[in-house]
């Protein structure tokens, strides 16, 4: 069974630009969560989607948004990039999202200059 | 094993030793716990999980212990190998959103 895939793996952007990251979950998984990982803050929850609906949201500004498609694939978008948005963005999938193991993708490394 | 700022706690062991990594969790209502391993340049990888109705669970070379009284979780790795070198962190789950600890860096010397 194929794992979670994320594209692109690396990105370099400049301040003020926007970026879209993509995540394909494990087949049969309907819950997709996004996380930001930085050395200073560790893993922080961004949001979770289930059946094309955002079900939970972390404490991030509105510049961070996402969506999920009918095939469970998900995208997240960050608008008006700031230097502090430089991070590893991880996507994780699970069957239902409720108190179960999440399977992570390799992440997208975003560098904002 | 909670970290402060940029620095993760580090555990250095010799190959073949047993390793114990600790984690303090915060929510007494959490009822599902997971240990993850993250190697450099990769996403976190599931190691072992435990539900709150258990105190101990064993996997292949790994054991997780849960002490709900003091809200403490530990991961024991038997016969540690160089390939075990990574950052290990625990996650506590209550509902849909897991909360992750900062992690402990395990360094295994051959």
């Amino acid at each position: 069974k194929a794992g979670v895939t994320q594209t692109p793996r690396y990105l370099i952007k400049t301040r003020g630009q926007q970026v879209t990251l993509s995540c394909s979950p494990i087949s049969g998984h309907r819950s997709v969560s996004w996380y930001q990982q930085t050395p200073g803050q560790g893993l922080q929850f961004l949001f979770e989607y289930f059946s094309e609906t955002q079900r939970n949201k972390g404490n991030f500004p509105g510049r961070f948004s996402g969506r999920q498609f009918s095939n469970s694939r998900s995208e997240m978008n960050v608008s008006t990039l700031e230097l502090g948005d430089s991070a590893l963005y991880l996507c994780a999938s699970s069957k239902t999202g409720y108190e179960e193991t999440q399977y992570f993708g390799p992440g997208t490394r975003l560098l904002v200059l | 094993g909670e970290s402060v700022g940029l620095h993760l706690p580090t555990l250095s062991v010799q190959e073949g030793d047993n390793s114990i990594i600790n984690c303090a969790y915060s929510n007494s209502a959490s009822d599902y716990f997971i240990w993850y391993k993250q190697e450099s340049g990769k996403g976190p990888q599931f190691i072992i999980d435990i539900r709150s109705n258990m105190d101990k669970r064993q996997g292949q070379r790994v054991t997780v212990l849960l002490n709900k009284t003091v809200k403490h979780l530990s991961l024991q790795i038997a016969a540690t190998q160089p390939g075990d070198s990574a950052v290990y962190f625990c996650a506590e789950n209550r509902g849909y959103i897991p909360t992750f600890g900062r992690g402990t860096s395990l360094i295994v010397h051959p």
Side-chain angles (χ1 to χ4, degrees), chain B residues 2 9 33-34 41 63 66 71-72 74 82 84-85 90 96 104 106-108 110:
Chain B
E2 294 298 321
F33 305 87
I34 308 168
T63 300
L66 175 62
K71 294 190 287 185
H72 182 268
S74 70
D84 294 328
S85 293
C90 65
Y96 295 97
T104 296
L106 175 65
I107 299 172
V108 183

Side-chain angles (χ1 to χ4, degrees), chain B residues 9-29:
Chain B
T10 299
L11 175 64
S12 289
V13 301
Q14 291 295 129
E15 181 178 1
D17 287 351
N18 296 331
S19 303
I20 299 177
I21 300 171
N22 298 302
C23 176
Y25 64 92
S26 58
N27 191 337
S28 58

Side-chain angles (χ1 to χ4, degrees), chain A residues 43-56:
Chain A
L43 259 176
Q44 292 186 286
F45 172 75
L46 281 158
F47 30 67
E48 185 240 358
Y49 284 86
F50 184 83
S51 293
E52 302 179 64
T53 300
Q54 186 181 89
R55 188 164 60 177
N56 295 283

Side-chain angles (χ1 to χ4, degrees), chain A residues 22 54 58 73 96 105-106:
Chain A
S22 180
Q54 186 181 89
R73 190 177 70 85
T96 68

Side-chain angles (χ1 to χ4, degrees), chain A:
Chain A
K1 193 183 245 188
V4 177
T5 58
Q6 291 187 245
T7 56
R9 293 293 312 278
Y10 303 93
L11 264 179
I12 300 176
K13 293 284 187 179
T14 56
R15 279 181 297 174
Q17 287 186 310
Q18 73 165 11
V19 67
T20 299
L21 312 181
S22 180
C23 171
S24 293
I26 291 172
S27 177
H29 286 192
R30 296 169 64 191
S31 169
V32 175
S33 296
W34 288 91
Y35 298 87
Q36 181 194 68
Q37 188 176 35
T38 60
Q41 300 298 321
L43 259 176
Q44 292 186 286
F45 172 75
L46 281 158
F47 30 67
E48 185 240 358
Y49 284 86
F50 184 83
S51 293
E52 302 179 64
T53 300
Q54 186 181 89
R55 188 164 60 177
N56 295 283
K57 188 177 188 304
N59 189 27
F60 276 81
R63 300 185 297 107
F64 292 82
S65 63
R67 59 177 175 168
Q68 186 180 36
F69 303 95
S70 59
N71 61 358
S72 294
R73 190 177 70 85
S74 177
E75 290 181 347
M76 69 162 281
N77 183 277
V78 187
S79 62
T80 318
L81 284 166
E82 300 177 0
L83 295 179
D85 296 333
S86 294
L88 180 66
Y89 290 89
L90 291 158
C91 158
S93 75
S94 62
K95 290 183 181 177
T96 68
Y98 186 78
E99 294 186 346
E100 60 180 359
T101 303
Q102 295 191 335
Y103 294 87
F104 284 82
T108 294
R109 174 74 64 184
L110 173 64
L111 176 62
V112 182
L113 302 176

Side-chain angles (χ1 to χ4, degrees), chain B residues 67-80:
Chain B
N67 185 329
K68 296 180 288 292
T69 303
V70 295
K71 294 190 287 185
H72 182 268
L73 201 63
S74 70
L75 175 71
Q76 300 178 359
I77 304 174
T80 314

